[in-house]
Amino acid sequence: MRLGLALGYWGRGPDPRHVPLAQEAERLGYHSVWTAESWGSDVFTPLTWIAARTSTIRLGTAVAQMAARSPTTTAMHALTLDHLSGGRVMLGLGLSGPQVVEGWYGRPFPKSPLTATREYVDVVRQVLRRQAPVELDGRFHSHPYRGADGTGLGKALKPITHPLRAELPILLGAEGPKNIAQTTRIADGWLPLYWSPNRSEVYESSLAEAPEGFLVAPMAQVRVCDDVAEGLLPVKTMLGFYIGGMGHAARNFHADLMARMGYEEQARRIQRLFLEGRREEAVLAVPDAFADEISLVGPRERIAERLESWRKGPVTDLLALAPDRESLRVLAELNA
């Protein structure tokens, strides 16, 4: 099982720890470092900044939001950074949800998410392979554009720049069972939002047809500390926000995932409290047991014991949300 460092996206401003943490992760032998985006900092600029200050660590997006860019624009970002970094890019893509897609990006959330995702990946693959001009008679991503409001003058084009790698790895952030199953067919890997090594049956049928070499790269908060309950508070804060705030009351993919993992009643309660403006109560309502099983928190010995269960399953890459050098170091030593 390889290790990655997940840095997420910025809060109010740039996090001065990110570059030093990425450099430390590279020194410790981590395979990859990953940035993210929501509705603030973008995913590619910080990754480029890190690329310029590292030399060997792989550079991943977890995730680049599809609604933020046309598929050809995303492919341009990926191929450009891949050249500049010497072939280190791993392109993670995610569809996000209606609240963000329509509220922030000002675009309609696709009525058929699987089709939209499949078309998006198809176009990105065509750009990166550069075998012919990009053409797709798609429902969501037609190339050239053939909509009634167009001029009809669009021309199928190949990228001017020759991509460094035709098979640059593409991973998808997918949560629903059908979406995960499709991911095994069209992508090189999957980026689970929550992963519990004790509940692999939740994903077993969706991963049944995954090909050899398929990447499974979940994120997990990692924190070396003496007080487990205190160490779980950041995990619960994250869960409270995603389950309660990242979606509509009637359509929240994160809450639905928690429900499928055996915590339906608690997920709906967290949603309700958060939407009522009782955010602190929503965080406290997150069960310690759930926060604990999707993270690695506690003394070194406890993390060492629990890490074994992560290594036994299909996980190929553990992306550690680790806020400090000590946790990074301990995890590297335990995984050696």
Side-chain angles (χ1 to χ4, degrees):
M1 186 175 69
R2 302 181 302 194
L3 297 180
L5 168 64
L7 295 172
Y9 43 78
W10 296 351
R12 287 186 168 210
D15 191 325
R17 301 173 300 174
H18 282 185
V19 170
L21 281 173
Q23 292 171 328
E24 179 69 1
E26 181 175 72
R27 188 188 70 79
L28 290 168
Y30 278 61
H31 175 261
S32 55
V33 57
W34 302 74
T35 55
E37 63 187 2
S38 53
W39 52 90
S41 59
D42 79 279
V43 72
F44 287 106
T45 308
L47 202 60
T48 304
W49 194 254
I50 291 167
R53 286 155 178 78
T54 56
S55 57
T56 58
I57 196 166
R58 302 296 194 277
L59 308 159
T61 58
V63 294
Q65 296 196 2
M66 296 184 214
R69 306 164 190 86
S70 70
T72 48
T73 306
T74 294
M76 289 167 66
H77 278 294
L79 73 86
T80 302
L81 182 52
D82 205 44
H83 268 291
L84 293 175
S85 66
R88 290 192 276 152
V89 171
M90 302 175 75
L91 181 60
L93 302 171
L95 198 58
S96 192
Q99 189 177 47
V100 175
V101 172
E102 297 183 2
W104 179 249
Y105 295 113
R107 303 186 59 185
F109 187 78
K111 289 183 170 59
S112 178
L114 269 69
T115 301
T117 299
R118 188 166 58 249
E119 290 180 4
Y120 199 103
V121 172
D122 186 345
V123 172
V124 172
R125 294 275 197 207
Q126 288 190 52
V127 174
L128 294 174
R129 287 169 178 167
R130 202 180 179 274
Q131 295 172 338
V134 177
E135 290 192 86
L136 178 67
D137 185 15
R139 178 177 171 186
F140 299 99
H141 299 291
S142 289
H143 284 70
Y145 182 71
R146 298 183 178 89
D149 56 344
T151 64
L153 302 177
K155 179 181 178 181
L157 300 168
K158 287 198 294 186
I160 297 171
T161 305
H162 291 229
L164 183 64
R165 293 182 296 161
E167 300 303 323
L168 184 153
I170 296 176
L171 298 88
L172 295 177
E175 293 183 44
K178 291 181 180 179
N179 203 346
I180 297 168
Q182 174 176 267
T183 297
T184 66
R185 297 190 295 270
I186 68 172
D188 303 296
W190 172 43
L191 294 160
L193 180 62
Y194 315 135
W195 177 271
S196 170
N198 305 321
R199 298 176 189 269
S200 58
E201 71 279 359
V202 173
Y203 311 107
E204 191 172 0
S205 61
S206 298
L207 294 174
E209 298 181 14
E212 185 176 354
F214 185 77
L215 304 178
V216 177
M219 292 186 193
Q221 292 207 33
V222 178
R223 186 167 287 99
V224 178
C225 59
D226 294 327
D227 189 327
V228 175
E230 184 179 340
L232 287 174
L233 276 176
V235 186
K236 294 174 68 169
T237 299
M238 176 272 293
L239 287 168
F241 176 66
Y242 271 79
I243 294 162
M246 292 284 276
H248 189 269
R251 194 168 189 183
N252 185 314
F253 302 134
H254 309 306
D256 293 345
L257 174 56
M258 182 179 175
R260 286 197 300 275
M261 294 177 74
Y263 294 91
E264 182 167 10
E265 183 179 342
Q266 295 92 328
R268 303 312 170 198
R269 182 165 185 262
I270 294 165
Q271 268 191 294
R272 186 176 67 254
L273 289 169
F274 198 96
L275 294 172
E276 289 173 357
R278 299 155 65 184
R279 297 191 177 191
E280 289 186 10
E281 291 180 64
V283 169
L284 294 175
V286 176
D288 282 4
F290 181 58
D292 195 27
E293 67 181 88
I294 65 168
S295 61
L296 288 163
V297 173
R300 178 189 177 107
E301 297 75 18
R302 185 176 193 268
I303 291 176
E305 180 181 348
R306 298 181 69 247
L307 189 61
E308 289 304 313
S309 61
W310 288 76
R311 281 200 282 247
K312 289 177 182 175
V315 173
T316 60
D317 297 76
L318 172 60
L319 311 186
L321 285 156
D324 62 274
R325 290 172 179 249
E326 174 67 8
S327 296
L328 279 182
R329 181 185 61 79
V330 168
L331 185 63
E333 291 174 354
L334 294 176
N335 194 58

